[in-house]
Amino acid sequence: MNLKKFRVTGFRSVTDSGWIDASDVTALIGENEAGKTNLLLPLWKLNPSGSGEINLLDDMPRSRYAEMRTRPGDHDFITCIFELDDAERDLAAKHGADREKTETVEVVRDFDGRYGWKFPDNSDFNIYDAHEAAEAPAEDEDDEDEPDRGPSLSSKLEELLPKFVYYSNYGNLDAQIYLPHVVDNLKRDELSGKEAAKARTLRVLFKLVNLSPEEVLELARATGVTERVNQQGQRVSVEPKTDEQMQADDEQLRMRAALLQSASTKLTKNFKDWWKQGDYRFRLHADGNYFRIWVADDRRPEEIELESRSTGLQWFLSFFLVFTYESEDTHDNAIVLLDEPGHSLHPLAQRDLSAFFDNLSKTHQIVFTTHSPFMIDADRLDRVRKVYVDGDGGTVASSNLAMNKRKGTDKGAGATYAVHSALNLTVAESLLLGCTPVIVEGPSDQHYLSAIKNILIAKGRINPKAELVFPPSGGAKTAKIIAAILMGRDDALPFVLLDGDATGKQAAKALKDGLYQGSKDLVFTTDAFTSDLTDSEIEDLVPAPLLIQVLDRLERRADQDFEDFYEGSKPIVPQIKAWASGEGFDLADDWKVQLALGVKSKLLANPDKQVDDKLLELWTSIFKNFS
């Protein structure tokens, strides 16, 4: 099952979050106290991996607690829509469901802990009373016997429901670890908070060492003489060991040294493959009751205890251990929820963490909260959901990242500022890091072109010498301002790609007659690439069937599908506007962005299905102009 979207209702500060679309990596960004954590917790409690029990006093909205606590089963707190894979749809078909109507399944959970299931496209089908068809009874069996119908489809789906793994405290390791304390804590199951997180990290660390803490403790206690503790708590020697005993001790010491050296080498090598902020070397050392972690690097070759290094390094090491080694067991068929990951890290290290999420998302969906622009990939704003407090004091999430004002107050202004900062960082990188900027009109153009770029690079169609970035100018008329700013990098004018509509053509002419008078070949409109089609826009460079499919799914208010309205010989954007007007509804202010996000997601998920060779050739010819 793949999580497509979720909705939180009546949980802590959340009255109704609205539907929150989920992708491979979903970033919930908002100010402090916006309620971001209260969107992760109900997801976790849908099907938690370890703890995550429903607590009525803590989880019900305090203002409604007296009303809701008497009938907890009447109140759902989380609703999720999952996309089913072919095997899961086959399972549903075996239980009598129409396979064509089982693309998605909806699951809810109430405060009584009960689950509710339905197929959104076939809500009349009873999942609870659906059983796999039984084989016909043998001739010698009594036909009157009731056949064993087996488990219901709802119970089968519950078994397949992904686990949710939640992390909020990552259990930073100390430099000096007292082994007897570790041995005791790892046997306890009532630990909570930081102690539980630290115990989890230590368990993973000792798994890496391929030893139990008891064995490390025993090996570390080998000495040349036997000792005892007197009444004053002092160690006193009692009797020298024999040569045979000392030889056995020496063997233990050598074994301990070899094991720890092997583990140190393994930790250093694996960590180096993941962390790009320094070339660190780790040494694990056991001495008596204590286990220590020493760290050195090229800038500071002398070994220093881990606890004396930066908080960011301590956090990253603990995070690395948990995700690299613990995930082998506990993250199977799991969705990972991360609350404020990397908040103590340097901005460049936060970028590394964001890149790690891309790799982790190949096997696990990730939902994380943040308020840092460095944790936002400006090329993947489709992953970002803005979290804010609405006018009624409830937590709300939206994929509309624009700044909205209502009743004189900013609606999610803090979250929007972080998104704008991420975009500004992309522009700054094009200035400072030698990227190749291509100015476009708006964020929807940026989404389309970044997806096309990634597909062309993956297929080996283009190999740009510098990273291609697509800073949006906020409209054709302001492209000149952005171009002048970017020109300050090295006195070289950036590329400009504008729509072929009247506004775009007018802006392109103004640029060529003015700032680009000597570099007219750097300014393009989409009409240059759309053959006989004029007044085109970026959308006309994208597969029309895919645009139509996404649009008809997004906009269900029309009686007539846009698919039946569309004419292939005309630009698609004016047709969408005319269709909406004819159907009697207004398109949302951000409809182009929402359409772009949906198209981009499907393009990147399966480009071979959506793009033919002719379109690939067209895209390649366009992007070769930017080299």
Side-chain angles (χ1 to χ4, degrees):
M1 292 187 189
N2 186 65
L3 180 65
K4 300 301 292 181
K5 58 183 178 179
F6 64 98
R7 186 175 192 170
V8 180
T9 51
F11 186 92
R12 299 193 182 187
S13 68
V14 185
T15 302
D16 186 347
S17 68
W19 282 108
I20 304 172
D21 293 325
S23 59
D24 53 349
V25 178
T26 305
L28 302 177
I29 185 166
E31 297 177 278
N32 292 330
E33 300 299 317
K36 301 185 296 295
T37 299
N38 291 342
L39 298 177
L40 289 188
L41 291 176
L43 262 183
W44 179 37
K45 297 189 177 197
L46 175 71
N47 192 28
S49 174
S51 61
E53 296 81 7
I54 298 169
N55 185 308
L56 300 187
L57 181 59
D58 290 337
D59 295 338
M60 286 181 169
R62 197 54 57 92
S63 62
R64 299 183 59 199
Y65 176 67
E67 161 205 345
M68 294 173 62
R69 68 186 178 95
T70 57
R71 300 179 65 89
D74 290 349
H75 304 282
D76 301 328
F77 65 87
I78 181 69
T79 305
C80 291
I81 301 291
F82 289 94
E83 183 178 49
L84 300 184
D85 61 25
D86 286 341
E88 290 160 345
R89 295 178 72 180
D90 289 342
L91 175 68
K94 289 181 180 178
H95 285 73
D98 181 348
R99 193 181 189 283
E100 297 303 313
K101 297 180 179 180
T102 59
E103 184 177 339
T104 61
V105 67
E106 177 183 298
V107 57
V108 302
R109 198 175 194 198
D110 62 32
F111 279 108
D112 233 358
R114 298 176 301 179
Y115 291 102
W117 297 88
K118 73 175 182 180
F119 293 119
D121 295 332
N122 191 8
S123 56
D124 292 334
F125 182 78
N126 189 335
I127 294 179
Y128 307 95
D129 197 37
H131 299 266
E132 189 171 352
E135 295 182 2
E139 294 183 1
D140 57 345
E141 293 183 4
D142 189 349
D143 292 343
E144 296 181 0
D145 291 341
E146 183 72 21
D148 182 9
R149 299 196 300 169
S152 66
L153 179 56
S154 61
S155 62
K156 287 286 190 179
L157 290 174
E158 189 170 333
E159 292 175 3
L160 296 171
L161 187 65
K163 292 285 186 179
F164 287 85
V165 183
Y166 174 71
Y167 292 98
S168 60
N169 191 321
Y170 301 90
N172 285 11
L173 290 169
D174 297 326
Q176 181 171 277
I177 299 165
Y178 186 61
L179 287 170
H181 191 197
V182 173
V183 171
D184 180 54
N185 276 352
L186 293 183
K187 294 177 180 177
R188 298 167 60 187
D189 54 12
E190 76 278 10
L191 295 174
S192 60
K194 290 183 178 180
E195 284 300 316
K198 190 171 294 186
R200 182 182 64 201
T201 308
L202 284 170
R203 183 178 289 108
V204 177
L205 176 63
F206 283 106
K207 177 182 177 182
L208 169 66
V209 180
N210 292 321
L211 287 172
S212 68
E214 293 90 345
E215 189 174 0
V216 175
L217 180 60
E218 184 61 31
L219 288 173
R221 283 178 171 172
T223 59
V225 294
T226 56
E227 295 178 335
R228 66 177 177 82
V229 179
N230 63 18
Q231 292 182 348
Q232 288 74 38
Q234 300 169 323
R235 288 187 175 276
V236 295
S237 300
V238 291
E239 181 180 346
K241 289 192 175 183
T242 65
D243 290 343
E244 290 78 8
Q245 290 173 322
M246 287 190 290
Q247 184 175 355
D249 286 347
D250 181 65
E251 187 69 21
Q252 276 192 310
L253 292 170
R254 290 174 59 207
M255 181 187 299
R256 181 193 68 193
L259 289 168
L260 294 177
Q261 183 180 14
S262 174
S264 302
T265 302
K266 181 178 180 181
L267 177 59
T268 297
K269 180 181 181 300
N270 291 3
F271 189 75
K272 183 179 180 180
D273 293 339
W274 193 55
W275 169 275
K276 307 301 181 185
Q277 298 303 310
D279 187 11
Y280 291 94
R281 297 178 297 278
F282 297 95
R283 183 168 67 88
L284 309 181
H285 177 71
D287 184 8
N289 287 336
Y290 293 93
F291 185 87
R292 291 179 173 85
I293 302 174
W294 298 83
V295 188
D297 62 74
D298 290 341
R299 290 180 298 175
R300 288 184 285 184
E302 69 280 1
E303 289 186 334
I304 301 175
E305 296 95 332
L306 175 63
E307 199 169 43
S308 299
R309 301 303 294 250
S310 69
T311 304
L313 177 61
Q314 295 175 49
W315 184 93
F316 231 109
L317 176 60
S318 302
F319 184 83
F320 162 78
L321 285 169
V322 168
F323 270 80
T324 304
Y325 295 99
E326 185 182 80
S327 62
E328 295 176 4
D329 300 323
T330 62
H331 295 176
D332 187 34
N333 187 33
I335 296 173
V336 180
L337 311 175
L338 304 173
D339 205 356
E340 299 285 358
H343 62 86
S344 62
L345 298 179
H346 182 277
L348 289 178
Q350 291 187 20
R351 286 288 180 90
D352 281 352
L353 183 60
S354 179
F356 172 70
F357 288 165
D358 288 335
N359 291 328
L360 186 62
S361 68
K362 294 175 183 177
T363 54
H364 303 88
Q365 281 185 277
I366 300 170
V367 184
F368 72 93
T369 65
T370 188
H371 48 70
S372 169
F374 298 99
M375 295 290 293
I376 301 172
D377 185 345
D379 272 349
R380 295 301 309 270
L381 293 182
D382 51 302
R383 294 172 167 177
V384 180
R385 310 291 177 258
K386 181 173 65 176
V387 181
Y388 58 94
V389 178
D390 66 8
D392 297 323
T395 297
V396 179
S398 172
S399 56
N400 179 4
L401 305 179
M403 180 82 78
N404 294 319
K405 291 191 174 182
R406 185 177 62 184
K407 298 180 181 179
T409 61
D410 289 341
K411 180 181 177 183
T416 304
Y417 179 78
V419 173
H420 287 177
S421 297
L423 288 170
N424 291 337
L425 288 169
T426 299
V427 174
E429 286 178 352
S430 69
L431 282 164
L432 300 174
L433 302 180
C435 297
T436 299
V438 181
I439 297 172
V440 296
E441 292 190 22
S444 58
D445 302 338
Q446 182 190 47
H447 289 311
Y448 289 124
L449 291 171
S450 63
I452 293 171
K453 175 192 72 174
N454 291 335
I455 291 171
L456 292 178
I457 291 175
K459 291 185 173 294
R461 294 283 187 138
I462 61 172
N463 185 24
K465 296 179 180 179
E467 176 69 14
L468 284 165
V469 295
F470 305 96
S473 64
K477 294 180 180 179
T478 53
K480 178 181 177 180
I481 299 172
I482 301 300
I485 293 172
L486 294 178
M487 181 182 175
R489 174 183 55 175
D490 49 16
D491 292 331
L493 287 164
F495 295 100
V496 180
L497 178 59
L498 302 172
D499 290 337
D501 58 8
T503 304
K505 288 175 181 174
Q506 184 178 357
K509 183 178 185 302
L511 287 172
K512 291 179 179 181
D513 291 344
L515 184 62
Y516 282 78
Q517 190 169 13
S519 304
K520 296 182 179 181
D521 58 340
L522 300 179
V523 179
F524 305 90
T525 67
T526 53
D527 276 2
F529 310 111
T530 54
S531 186
D532 298 330
L533 195 65
T534 58
D535 298 323
S536 64
E537 300 186 33
I538 294 287
E539 285 79 1
D540 294 302
L541 301 176
V542 181
L546 178 57
L547 277 165
I548 294 167
Q549 175 191 351
V550 174
L551 179 64
D552 280 333
R553 280 179 173 269
L554 283 175
E555 189 52 76
R556 298 181 180 272
R557 289 178 289 177
D559 293 327
Q560 179 189 25
D561 289 341
F562 180 69
E563 181 181 11
D564 300 325
F565 183 90
Y566 172 69
E567 296 181 38
S569 60
K570 299 179 181 179
I572 195 168
V573 170
Q575 292 189 68
I576 294 174
K577 294 177 179 178
W579 166 71
S581 176
E583 291 294 314
F585 64 88
D586 295 325
L587 292 165
D589 292 340
D590 65 338
W591 73 269
K592 292 186 75 174
V593 174
Q594 295 305 313
L595 179 61
L597 292 175
V599 171
K600 180 180 181 179
S601 176
K602 287 188 173 293
L603 273 177
L604 294 176
N606 194 347
D608 292 333
K609 179 181 178 181
Q610 310 294 348
V611 184
D612 58 23
D613 289 338
K614 182 179 178 181
L615 188 55
L616 279 176
E617 290 293 342
L618 173 63
W619 287 351
T620 303
S621 68
I622 295 172
F623 271 73
K624 284 185 176 178
N625 288 286
F626 306 142
S627 59

